[in-house]
Amino acid sequence: MQTAPSSPPTPPQTAPERAATEAPAPPPSPSAFSIALNRLPLSAPVRWLALGTRDFARAPFIGLFYGACFMVMGWALLRVFEHAPAYTLALSAGFLLMGPFLCLGLYQTSLRLERGEKPDFGDSLLAWQTRTGTLAIFGFVLLVLEMLWGRAALVVFAVSFDGMPDFKGSIRALLDPENVQFIVAYLAVGGVFAGLIFAVSVVAMPMILHRQTDAITAGLTSLRLVLTQPLVMILWGAVITVLVVLAMLPWFVGLVVVGPVIGHASWHAYRAAVADPPPA
């Protein structure tokens, strides 16, 4: 019986041949310091609010749902922390700085409108699923900062008064000119934490949702934006603060509209500030 002739051995591939047959490696993710930032005019916050109002008008049901969530959260904070006024004061003003995390559905809605697609309520509710791990990490960092803020506020109250006043008493303490040292210390602590949370999150959450980027890169990019263009971003932070405070005064009812408008406007702030990556 004759055996079939064996095939000649395949010669080993050279390095160029191996490189030609292998799949191309994905491009490395850009670092936070290589992402291009656009130059923003001082009038940019006005434009962002106008675009946010337009998106709210184009998808009012979705916006009103998230606005109602903000209002209910305000009521819950007042109820849960009614016996801890320092936490109430810090968190009632500070939980809206968690807005970039809470407003993911609004960012998703603005993204759909930007692409000319019809926004979907269910799609907005599940926006977090696209970047679950990264969003969870960033949300945890913001939560830690919020809790540190609340703890620092308690320390200020503890060293300023004999015992903790009730909620009405804490409000009176903040408005009493005789408590100048307490007012300065409380506002200074709040300003530091509010500024830090704002600086690391002003465009971070929309960036995580829009790009395949990690939490550190998004946070550092947001911080770069604030440090390189402080006037515009301070103005934007002041606009947000004023609108939120005014919306909170009538028992948080104004947040039903102001909350989603700011959420949509924050998406447009990200799109205006952070340049699109170059095409592959």
Side-chain angles (χ1 to χ4, degrees):
M1 177 182 296
Q2 294 181 346
T3 59
S6 60
S7 58
T10 303
Q13 289 182 316
T14 63
E17 290 173 338
R18 285 197 303 270
T21 57
E22 291 176 353
S29 301
S31 69
F33 301 97
S34 63
I35 296 175
L37 300 176
N38 297 323
R39 200 68 191 171
L40 301 171
L42 284 176
S43 60
V46 177
R47 172 173 171 77
W48 301 337
L49 284 177
L51 293 173
T53 304
R54 184 197 64 181
D55 286 356
F56 175 72
R58 295 172 67 185
F61 173 75
I62 295 176
L64 290 174
F65 170 80
Y66 287 101
C69 290
F70 278 116
M71 181 180 66
V72 171
M73 285 186 63
W75 292 348
L77 283 171
L78 290 178
R79 182 66 176 175
V80 172
F81 295 105
E82 61 182 358
H83 300 297
Y87 275 119
T88 304
L89 289 171
L91 296 179
S92 64
F95 83 93
L96 285 175
L97 294 176
M98 296 283 287
F101 182 74
L102 299 174
C103 288
L104 284 171
L106 297 170
Y107 302 151
Q108 184 75 357
T109 301
S110 290
L111 174 61
R112 296 300 184 196
L113 291 172
E114 180 182 308
R115 293 175 176 175
E117 303 172 359
K118 183 179 180 180
D120 180 75
F121 178 67
D123 179 55
S124 72
L125 289 177
L126 300 177
W128 55 272
Q129 287 187 338
T130 59
R131 304 286 290 154
T132 305
T134 303
L135 291 171
I137 293 172
F138 200 86
F140 177 74
V141 171
L142 294 182
L143 179 61
V144 170
L145 291 175
E146 290 281 352
M147 297 309 296
L148 289 175
W149 184 357
R151 177 59 61 180
L154 277 178
V155 172
V156 173
F157 268 92
V159 299
S160 301
F161 303 100
D162 295 330
M164 295 296 296
D166 58 14
F167 181 73
K168 292 182 179 179
S170 62
I171 295 295
R172 287 195 298 267
L174 282 173
L175 299 178
D176 190 349
E178 295 182 357
N179 299 323
V180 175
Q181 292 183 344
F182 162 73
I183 295 172
V184 171
Y186 187 87
L187 294 179
V189 169
V192 169
F193 280 98
L196 179 59
I197 294 173
F198 176 78
V200 299
S201 64
V202 61
V203 297
M205 283 296 183
M207 184 175 176
I208 293 173
L209 182 65
H210 186 234
R211 302 188 183 198
Q212 295 296 316
T213 188
D214 58 90
I216 296 177
T217 299
L220 289 177
T221 301
S222 182
L223 186 60
R224 273 183 60 217
L225 175 64
V226 173
L227 294 178
T228 56
Q229 304 190 59
L231 292 180
V232 178
M233 302 317 297
I234 289 175
L235 178 60
W236 178 228
V239 169
I240 293 176
T241 302
V242 170
L243 291 178
V244 167
V245 169
L246 293 177
M248 290 168 59
L249 291 178
W251 293 97
F252 298 91
V253 175
L255 292 178
V256 175
V257 174
V258 173
V261 168
I262 292 178
H264 288 304
S266 298
W267 168 262
H268 292 285
Y270 153 70
R271 295 294 285 142
V274 183
D276 287 328

mmCIF file of all heavy atoms in Angstrom, residues 8 11 15 39 45 56 85 96 126 137 186 190 192 201 203 205-206 209 235 247 251 257 264 267 279:
data_model
loop_
_atom_site.group_PDB
_atom_site.id
_atom_site.type_symbol
_atom_site.label_atom_id
_atom_site.label_comp_id
_atom_site.label_asym_id
_atom_site.label_seq_id
_atom_site.Cartn_x
_atom_site.Cartn_y
_atom_site.Cartn_z
ATOM 1 N N PRO A 8 4.598 19.592 1.890
ATOM 2 C CA PRO A 8 5.839 20.218 2.377
ATOM 3 C C PRO A 8 5.555 21.114 3.559
ATOM 4 O O PRO A 8 4.492 21.715 3.663
ATOM 5 C CB PRO A 8 6.319 21.028 1.159
ATOM 6 C CG PRO A 8 5.101 21.263 0.349
ATOM 7 C CD PRO A 8 4.250 20.040 0.535
ATOM 8 N N PRO A 11 6.756 27.198 5.520
ATOM 9 C CA PRO A 11 7.893 27.987 6.028
ATOM 10 C C PRO A 11 7.421 28.987 7.071
ATOM 11 O O PRO A 11 6.309 29.500 7.003
ATOM 12 C CB PRO A 11 8.429 28.690 4.773
ATOM 13 C CG PRO A 11 7.267 28.750 3.848
ATOM 14 C CD PRO A 11 6.475 27.482 4.112
ATOM 15 N N ALA A 15 8.386 38.570 10.260
ATOM 16 C CA ALA A 15 7.693 39.556 11.087
ATOM 17 C C ALA A 15 6.746 40.425 10.277
ATOM 18 O O ALA A 15 5.600 40.659 10.686
ATOM 19 C CB ALA A 15 8.710 40.417 11.838
ATOM 20 N N ARG A 39 -12.384 76.603 22.878
ATOM 21 C CA ARG A 39 -12.418 77.886 23.579
ATOM 22 C C ARG A 39 -13.859 78.373 23.652
ATOM 23 O O ARG A 39 -14.566 78.407 22.642
ATOM 24 C CB ARG A 39 -11.559 78.912 22.840
ATOM 25 C CG ARG A 39 -11.131 80.091 23.702
ATOM 26 C CD ARG A 39 -10.170 79.641 24.773
ATOM 27 N NE ARG A 39 -9.937 80.683 25.771
ATOM 28 C CZ ARG A 39 -9.274 80.482 26.882
ATOM 29 N NH1 ARG A 39 -8.790 79.278 27.154
ATOM 30 N NH2 ARG A 39 -9.084 81.464 27.742
ATOM 31 N N PRO A 45 -22.869 80.131 28.481
ATOM 32 C CA PRO A 45 -23.940 79.610 29.352
ATOM 33 C C PRO A 45 -25.346 80.014 28.906
ATOM 34 O O PRO A 45 -26.288 79.231 29.068
ATOM 35 C CB PRO A 45 -23.601 80.211 30.722
ATOM 36 C CG PRO A 45 -22.120 80.387 30.693
ATOM 37 C CD PRO A 45 -21.814 80.781 29.281
ATOM 38 N N PHE A 56 -35.956 70.444 26.269
ATOM 39 C CA PHE A 56 -37.055 70.179 27.194
ATOM 40 C C PHE A 56 -38.407 70.314 26.488
ATOM 41 O O PHE A 56 -39.314 69.501 26.703
ATOM 42 C CB PHE A 56 -36.968 71.142 28.380
ATOM 43 C CG PHE A 56 -38.122 71.038 29.330
ATOM 44 C CD1 PHE A 56 -38.257 69.946 30.171
ATOM 45 C CD2 PHE A 56 -39.078 72.041 29.387
ATOM 46 C CE1 PHE A 56 -39.330 69.858 31.052
ATOM 47 C CE2 PHE A 56 -40.140 71.962 30.263
ATOM 48 C CZ PHE A 56 -40.275 70.865 31.101
ATOM 49 N N PRO A 85 -30.325 68.950 60.895
ATOM 50 C CA PRO A 85 -30.383 70.101 59.991
ATOM 51 C C PRO A 85 -29.107 70.363 59.228
ATOM 52 O O PRO A 85 -29.155 70.844 58.106
ATOM 53 C CB PRO A 85 -30.714 71.263 60.935
ATOM 54 C CG PRO A 85 -30.272 70.807 62.282
ATOM 55 C CD PRO A 85 -30.532 69.334 62.301
ATOM 56 N N LEU A 96 -28.084 68.189 44.231
ATOM 57 C CA LEU A 96 -28.233 68.558 42.832
ATOM 58 C C LEU A 96 -26.891 68.625 42.116
ATOM 59 O O LEU A 96 -26.846 68.610 40.889
ATOM 60 C CB LEU A 96 -28.957 69.901 42.723
ATOM 61 C CG LEU A 96 -30.451 69.812 43.005
ATOM 62 C CD1 LEU A 96 -31.079 71.182 43.011
ATOM 63 C CD2 LEU A 96 -31.129 68.919 41.983
ATOM 64 N N LEU A 126 -32.662 53.580 30.853
ATOM 65 C CA LEU A 126 -31.612 52.555 30.797
ATOM 66 C C LEU A 126 -30.302 53.101 30.244
ATOM 67 O O LEU A 126 -29.427 52.321 29.853
ATOM 68 C CB LEU A 126 -32.091 51.381 29.935
ATOM 69 C CG LEU A 126 -33.361 50.667 30.425
ATOM 70 C CD1 LEU A 126 -33.759 49.572 29.441
ATOM 71 C CD2 LEU A 126 -33.150 50.091 31.820
ATOM 72 N N ILE A 137 -18.408 53.848 39.334
ATOM 73 C CA ILE A 137 -17.196 54.341 39.998
ATOM 74 C C ILE A 137 -17.275 55.847 40.202
ATOM 75 O O ILE A 137 -17.010 56.362 41.298
ATOM 76 C CB ILE A 137 -15.945 53.973 39.171
ATOM 77 C CG1 ILE A 137 -15.742 52.458 39.178
ATOM 78 C CG2 ILE A 137 -14.704 54.671 39.712
ATOM 79 C CD1 ILE A 137 -14.651 51.986 38.248
ATOM 80 N N TYR A 186 -19.298 78.178 57.495
ATOM 81 C CA TYR A 186 -20.219 77.254 56.814
ATOM 82 C C TYR A 186 -20.182 77.456 55.307
ATOM 83 O O TYR A 186 -20.116 76.485 54.536
ATOM 84 C CB TYR A 186 -21.636 77.462 57.346
ATOM 85 C CG TYR A 186 -22.621 76.451 56.819
ATOM 86 C CD1 TYR A 186 -22.790 75.229 57.459
ATOM 87 C CD2 TYR A 186 -23.384 76.712 55.684
ATOM 88 C CE1 TYR A 186 -23.687 74.293 56.977
ATOM 89 C CE2 TYR A 186 -24.283 75.784 55.202
ATOM 90 C CZ TYR A 186 -24.431 74.571 55.847
ATOM 91 O OH TYR A 186 -25.308 73.642 55.371
ATOM 92 N N GLY A 190 -18.862 74.811 52.497
ATOM 93 C CA GLY A 190 -19.745 74.453 51.386
ATOM 94 C C GLY A 190 -19.172 74.843 50.043
ATOM 95 O O GLY A 190 -19.293 74.096 49.062
ATOM 96 N N VAL A 192 -16.005 75.096 49.171
ATOM 97 C CA VAL A 192 -14.895 74.216 48.784
ATOM 98 C C VAL A 192 -15.421 72.906 48.198
ATOM 99 O O VAL A 192 -14.999 72.468 47.123
ATOM 100 C CB VAL A 192 -13.979 73.949 49.993
ATOM 101 C CG1 VAL A 192 -12.992 72.824 49.682
ATOM 102 C CG2 VAL A 192 -13.221 75.217 50.375
ATOM 103 N N SER A 201 -17.029 67.177 37.771
ATOM 104 C CA SER A 201 -18.202 66.525 37.181
ATOM 105 C C SER A 201 -18.925 67.361 36.142
ATOM 106 O O SER A 201 -19.890 66.875 35.550
ATOM 107 C CB SER A 201 -19.209 66.168 38.290
ATOM 108 O OG SER A 201 -19.718 67.334 38.916
ATOM 109 N N VAL A 203 -18.506 68.197 33.090
ATOM 110 C CA VAL A 203 -18.703 67.556 31.789
ATOM 111 C C VAL A 203 -18.367 66.064 31.841
ATOM 112 O O VAL A 203 -18.370 65.397 30.806
ATOM 113 C CB VAL A 203 -17.852 68.223 30.688
ATOM 114 C CG1 VAL A 203 -18.263 69.670 30.483
ATOM 115 C CG2 VAL A 203 -16.365 68.134 30.999
ATOM 116 N N MET A 205 -19.854 63.238 33.341
ATOM 117 C CA MET A 205 -20.880 62.235 33.083
ATOM 118 C C MET A 205 -21.350 62.220 31.623
ATOM 119 O O MET A 205 -21.489 61.154 31.030
ATOM 120 C CB MET A 205 -22.062 62.452 34.034
ATOM 121 C CG MET A 205 -21.798 61.957 35.438
ATOM 122 S SD MET A 205 -21.564 60.170 35.475
ATOM 123 C CE MET A 205 -21.360 59.909 37.236
ATOM 124 N N PRO A 206 -21.618 63.384 31.010
ATOM 125 C CA PRO A 206 -21.942 63.330 29.580
ATOM 126 C C PRO A 206 -20.816 62.734 28.744
ATOM 127 O O PRO A 206 -21.072 62.020 27.768
ATOM 128 C CB PRO A 206 -22.181 64.806 29.219
ATOM 129 C CG PRO A 206 -22.510 65.470 30.498
ATOM 130 C CD PRO A 206 -21.737 64.753 31.547
ATOM 131 N N LEU A 209 -20.882 58.947 29.058
ATOM 132 C CA LEU A 209 -21.996 58.403 28.292
ATOM 133 C C LEU A 209 -21.727 58.445 26.791
ATOM 134 O O LEU A 209 -22.102 57.526 26.060
ATOM 135 C CB LEU A 209 -23.268 59.192 28.614
ATOM 136 C CG LEU A 209 -24.558 58.729 27.944
ATOM 137 C CD1 LEU A 209 -24.954 57.349 28.430
ATOM 138 C CD2 LEU A 209 -25.690 59.719 28.202
ATOM 139 N N LEU A 235 -18.963 81.288 35.802
ATOM 140 C CA LEU A 235 -20.244 81.875 35.419
ATOM 141 C C LEU A 235 -21.304 80.796 35.258
ATOM 142 O O LEU A 235 -22.448 80.962 35.706
ATOM 143 C CB LEU A 235 -20.079 82.670 34.123
ATOM 144 C CG LEU A 235 -21.345 83.318 33.548
ATOM 145 C CD1 LEU A 235 -21.941 84.296 34.560
ATOM 146 C CD2 LEU A 235 -21.039 84.020 32.231
ATOM 147 N N ALA A 247 -35.384 77.713 42.382
ATOM 148 C CA ALA A 247 -36.319 76.607 42.168
ATOM 149 C C ALA A 247 -36.615 75.853 43.459
ATOM 150 O O ALA A 247 -37.679 75.241 43.607
ATOM 151 C CB ALA A 247 -35.759 75.641 41.123
ATOM 152 N N TRP A 251 -40.634 75.006 48.066
ATOM 153 C CA TRP A 251 -40.726 73.578 48.358
ATOM 154 C C TRP A 251 -40.300 72.717 47.174
ATOM 155 O O TRP A 251 -40.922 71.701 46.873
ATOM 156 C CB TRP A 251 -42.125 73.209 48.832
ATOM 157 C CG TRP A 251 -42.460 73.805 50.155
ATOM 158 C CD1 TRP A 251 -43.175 74.954 50.385
ATOM 159 C CD2 TRP A 251 -42.047 73.330 51.435
ATOM 160 N NE1 TRP A 251 -43.238 75.219 51.722
ATOM 161 C CE2 TRP A 251 -42.556 74.242 52.406
ATOM 162 C CE3 TRP A 251 -41.315 72.237 51.872
ATOM 163 C CZ2 TRP A 251 -42.349 74.070 53.769
ATOM 164 C CZ3 TRP A 251 -41.099 72.070 53.225
ATOM 165 C CH2 TRP A 251 -41.620 72.975 54.145
ATOM 166 N N VAL A 257 -39.227 71.977 36.378
ATOM 167 C CA VAL A 257 -38.830 72.532 35.087
ATOM 168 C C VAL A 257 -37.344 72.871 35.064
ATOM 169 O O VAL A 257 -36.634 72.539 34.109
ATOM 170 C CB VAL A 257 -39.663 73.785 34.748
ATOM 171 C CG1 VAL A 257 -39.151 74.459 33.482
ATOM 172 C CG2 VAL A 257 -41.128 73.407 34.588
ATOM 173 N N HIS A 264 -30.382 69.147 30.382
ATOM 174 C CA HIS A 264 -30.168 69.238 28.935
ATOM 175 C C HIS A 264 -29.076 70.249 28.613
ATOM 176 O O HIS A 264 -28.241 70.026 27.724
ATOM 177 C CB HIS A 264 -31.469 69.648 28.245
ATOM 178 C CG HIS A 264 -32.523 68.579 28.223
ATOM 179 N ND1 HIS A 264 -32.306 67.323 27.689
ATOM 180 C CD2 HIS A 264 -33.816 68.578 28.664
ATOM 181 C CE1 HIS A 264 -33.415 66.604 27.795
ATOM 182 N NE2 HIS A 264 -34.339 67.339 28.384
ATOM 183 N N TRP A 267 -25.598 68.895 28.933
ATOM 184 C CA TRP A 267 -25.167 68.110 27.774
ATOM 185 C C TRP A 267 -24.580 69.026 26.706
ATOM 186 O O TRP A 267 -23.523 68.744 26.134
ATOM 187 C CB TRP A 267 -26.337 67.315 27.200
ATOM 188 C CG TRP A 267 -26.034 66.730 25.850
ATOM 189 C CD1 TRP A 267 -26.378 67.248 24.635
ATOM 190 C CD2 TRP A 267 -25.304 65.537 25.590
ATOM 191 N NE1 TRP A 267 -25.913 66.457 23.621
ATOM 192 C CE2 TRP A 267 -25.245 65.388 24.177
ATOM 193 C CE3 TRP A 267 -24.693 64.587 26.394
ATOM 194 C CZ2 TRP A 267 -24.600 64.325 23.571
ATOM 195 C CZ3 TRP A 267 -24.041 63.518 25.787
ATOM 196 C CH2 TRP A 267 -24.007 63.391 24.389
ATOM 197 N N PRO A 279 -11.329 61.531 13.395
ATOM 198 C CA PRO A 279 -11.796 60.279 12.817
ATOM 199 C C PRO A 279 -10.680 59.253 12.756
ATOM 200 O O PRO A 279 -9.521 59.588 12.546
ATOM 201 C CB PRO A 279 -12.283 60.669 11.420
ATOM 202 C CG PRO A 279 -11.559 61.949 11.111
ATOM 203 C CD PRO A 279 -11.383 62.656 12.431
#
